[in-house]
Amino acid sequence: MVILSLIVKRARVKALVNDKRVASEAFGDYVESLSGDASTNQFLSKALRGVRTIICPTEGFLSSISSLKGIKHVILLSQLSVYKGTGGIQALMKGNTVKLAEQDESKLLASGIPCTIIRAGTLQDAPGGQQGFCFDEGSAVKGSLSNEDAALICVEAINVVPQAGFIFEVVNGDEKVSDWKERLSQLMERAGPKLL
């Protein structure tokens, strides 16, 4: 969903994929697909060459990168609030995922690179654009967000680069957003001294 949203915005896209042939069939010439061992510095160095912004929609990738040299902005879609809000057997099953999400956020915030961490509610395979949004603190623990809406927010966050680390929560709700740059700037202002 993130790649499709970037293509619609006519952004130049470099994507790490498992299967270059499948990615080529899905995205054509719109995406430079790279496949390789993302745990090796040599591959990641080559893959990140010339990249200014990273959008990371899954946990565990950022914590495996040894250097973010040259990167100007990182956008992380995190479900850390959801994972921490679960209990019982579900919490045990997600234990490793919680660690990966915590490591990603910690590494990113410690890097000093301007970053936006989007703490989304439970991601749902539902059409986007059908509902509004809610940005209340604590909403991600109990709310949900469609995958399409999550991808849209990740792409829109490219246009609002914070000075340091900026974290906000979002789920589907009642607020309609017509100007994402303005809304994200308002959220950043509201965070004020809480910016990390």
Side-chain angles (χ1 to χ4, degrees):
M1 295 291 171
V2 171
I3 292 173
L4 289 174
S5 296
L6 287 165
I7 290 170
V8 168
K9 291 271 189 186
R10 299 182 187 267
R12 192 167 151 233
V13 180
K14 196 184 264 193
L16 301 182
V17 298
N18 292 328
D19 188 329
K20 285 177 80 168
R21 185 185 57 78
V22 171
S24 179
E25 288 173 6
F27 306 118
D29 294 335
Y30 295 105
V31 174
E32 180 184 346
S33 301
L34 300 165
S35 182
D37 185 355
S39 66
T40 66
N41 288 335
Q42 183 178 3
F43 173 73
L44 286 176
S45 180
K46 177 185 172 189
L48 295 176
R49 192 173 301 127
V51 172
R52 293 186 310 258
T53 302
I54 294 175
I55 298 177
C56 188
T58 57
E59 283 87 10
F61 176 71
L62 290 174
S63 57
S64 68
I65 298 176
S66 63
S67 172
L68 291 168
K69 185 180 176 189
I71 304 299
K72 306 290 185 218
H73 184 203
V74 178
I75 299 157
L76 173 64
L77 181 63
S78 174
Q79 292 218 273
L80 186 58
S81 296
V82 173
Y83 301 145
K84 284 187 170 182
T86 59
I89 293 173
Q90 194 173 19
L92 289 173
M93 291 171 50
K94 301 231 183 235
N96 190 45
T97 310
V98 172
K99 287 179 189 165
L100 291 173
E102 287 173 336
Q103 289 172 352
D104 279 352
E105 287 194 17
S106 294
K107 179 171 185 167
L108 190 53
L109 293 170
S111 73
I113 295 170
C115 63
T116 302
I117 298 175
I118 303 165
R119 288 192 179 153
T122 303
L123 294 174
Q124 301 287 318
D125 193 16
Q130 306 295 314
Q131 304 175 55
F133 301 92
C134 174
F135 301 96
D136 294 344
E137 194 170 325
S139 62
V141 174
K142 294 191 169 133
S144 63
L145 182 68
S146 80
N147 286 326
E148 287 182 22
D149 287 335
L152 169 79
I153 296 167
C154 287
V155 171
E156 292 295 338
I158 291 172
N159 299 315
V160 183
V161 181
Q163 293 293 315
F166 168 50
I167 301 172
F168 69 94
E169 295 186 38
V170 62
V171 296
N172 284 122
D174 296 326
E175 180 183 335
K176 298 294 183 192
V177 178
S178 58
D179 184 337
W180 279 99
K181 188 172 184 175
E182 180 181 323
R183 186 62 180 112
L184 292 172
S185 295
Q186 290 169 351
L187 288 169
M188 209 178 297
E189 262 182 50
R190 189 173 78 189
K194 290 193 299 187
L195 284 175
L196 305 170

